[in-house]
Amino acid sequence: MISLHTSPVRRRRLGVATAAAGMLATLLMAGPAAATPDPGDRGEARTGVSAARQAEARAAIESGEVPGVDEIVHSSNITHLANVPKDALKGLNTDLAFQGKYAFAGNYDGFRIFDISNPSAPKTVSQVLCPGSQNDISVSGNLLFLSTDSSRSDNSCTSTTQPATEKSSWEGMKVFDISDKRNPKYVAAVETACGSHTHTLVPERKNVYVYVSSYSPSATFPDCQPPHDGISVIKVPRNAPEKAAVVNFPVLFPDGGNPGAPENPGVSKTTGCHDITVLPSKDLAAGACMGDGLLFSIKDPENPKIIDRVQDNVNFAFWHSATFNQTTDKVVFTDELGGGGAATCNEEIGPKRGANGIYDIVGKGDHRKLVFRSYFKIDRPQADTEVCVAHNGSIIPVKGRDLMVQAWYQGGVSVWDFTDSSKPKEIGYFERGPVSTDAVTTAGPWSAYYYNGYIYSNDIAKGFDVLKLDDRRTDPAKRVRLDELNVQTQPDYFDR
């Protein structure tokens, strides 16, 4: 039996536990520029709260309901092996990608490469200054891809912020050559409509297709005009990445998508997608698109085809990300209630909002449907000064089980089982106590992913964490080894 609580017993639960010319990549020798947060994963640093809320946060710590400020607690099946604090890049830490013995960590100010050959002692290989939120990151072969979703003065790594109302402003995808991990080189840039909040790779032998997710158009933005009802598809030749270009903009919402308020109060109006996950071996993709969830075919990667579309206008505010199970008969969608800037893991919000939605995929081929089964939200209480919401996670590859590790901002890292899609349950966790008891502060894991026997987490404020998971239910995953992992490009773990 695994004990889930190694900290003092908590008395309250939340509810049912369910480079081209002119481009320059600057290897850091000096302090970086300030990050520029964006909506969707906003990352406001601090927001004051009332004296009553401050008192409640302190009382929760004193009673043992939540850990103390910055106190680390975890279940007995998890060991905290390492933490590497921020160094030259002072912005918000974001997503992770992996290749061989390396981990690639995004940051609003650029990216950092770690040598993880010894998971207990990760070593920094290089840090690249290239400001432009949110710097969503992925890798394929010798190429690294970086999303820019803040309006910049140009496409270089020395750019400065500039209003999106100015035609000369730039947002989009950047491409680096990482054949030398100690000296990445900026080799290409592609401007995309409304920038690139996130991106997803569909790799082929000669080319890499990149699905670019972005949203929030405005009639005042010359390069981000409404309607913005699709995604940009970029084709990147591996041997000539400088020739990367947009080859299509497929319309995913011919009817305009979820209208949001006032028709659907509290729900985001769909003006694009936030994130897409593909499972290339199955020619399948799932899109988390603000007010809509999508299932679509990618048999022709330049022309994705919608199979099914669902909405949840009761409990989902912002469809944020998606994860398939290995047998592709389930998909987990996350709801980023509050846009990553609010305390949502409390009794006031409850167990069904700011949660995961688990859907079964039923039927065959283009007649498949998404069928809702249940919600899952961590039931470990969090202080009302802690930003806590469902965020990025990955499958833990075990045959016959559907297991996942997931980041919850200041809710920490959760390991949970959704083998029974109607009865999901947490089986392990790691978290830190609140950063502050007098303000709502964005911190905690942005991403938590399982890679080659370990869990790696990029904490927005505290740095890069490595966790070891020892549990009879998850131990078989330790035998699964990958050469590369971009979580939004899900591998077929058992048929390679």
Side-chain angles (χ1 to χ4, degrees), residues 277-440:
T277 291
V278 299
L279 215 170
S281 66
K282 309 292 186 183
D283 292 326
L284 204 61
C289 302
M290 304 181 73
D292 294 88
L294 299 180
L295 184 69
F296 52 99
S297 167
I298 57 169
K299 287 181 181 179
D300 178 356
E302 287 191 25
N303 298 281
K305 178 182 177 182
I306 301 300
I307 296 174
D308 195 24
R309 170 179 157 198
V310 290
Q311 297 178 354
D312 179 347
N313 295 318
V314 176
N315 290 312
F316 259 48
F318 189 96
W319 295 67
H320 176 274
S321 54
T323 304
F324 289 107
N325 69 336
Q326 185 56 54
T327 52
T328 329
D329 58 7
K330 299 171 190 170
V331 62
V332 175
F333 289 103
T334 66
D335 174 23
E336 195 188 39
L337 176 67
T344 69
C345 297
N346 51 37
E347 290 179 317
E348 179 183 356
I349 299 299
K352 295 182 179 181
R353 300 172 61 214
N356 297 323
I358 304 165
Y359 287 75
D360 285 353
I361 302 173
V362 300
K364 296 182 179 180
D366 290 349
H367 299 290
R368 283 172 285 190
K369 297 292 182 183
L370 293 165
V371 179
F372 174 77
R373 293 302 184 206
S374 66
Y375 298 104
F376 171 76
K377 187 174 183 179
I378 59 171
D379 67 344
R380 292 172 281 111
Q382 307 296 313
D384 284 339
T385 58
E386 292 183 277
V387 170
C388 172
V389 74
H391 222 246
N392 295 349
S394 76
I395 290 296
I396 300 175
V398 175
K399 284 187 176 181
R401 285 184 178 270
D402 295 322
L403 303 167
M404 188 171 174
V405 59
Q406 185 178 3
W408 287 78
Y409 276 29
Q410 287 190 75
V413 174
S414 177
V415 180
W416 60 290
D417 185 330
F418 63 104
T419 306
D420 183 342
S421 54
S422 296
K423 297 180 180 179
K425 58 183 179 180
E426 183 172 78
I427 63 173
Y429 74 92
F430 168 90
E431 68 168 289
R432 291 179 171 89
V435 172
S436 168
T437 59
D438 59 12
V440 176

Side-chain angles (χ1 to χ4, degrees), residues 479-483 491-496:
R479 298 192 291 268
V480 178
R481 313 299 291 183
L482 300 176
D483 296 324
D492 189 327
Y493 290 98
F494 305 116
D495 186 18
R496 293 179 294 121

Side-chain angles (χ1 to χ4, degrees), residues 8-12 54-69 71 383 434 437:
V9 176
R10 299 175 184 181
R11 300 175 177 82
R12 175 170 59 93
Q54 294 178 37
E56 287 177 6
R58 290 191 291 269
I61 292 172
E62 292 170 2
S63 68
E65 288 180 337
V66 301
V69 172
E71 178 188 1
T437 59

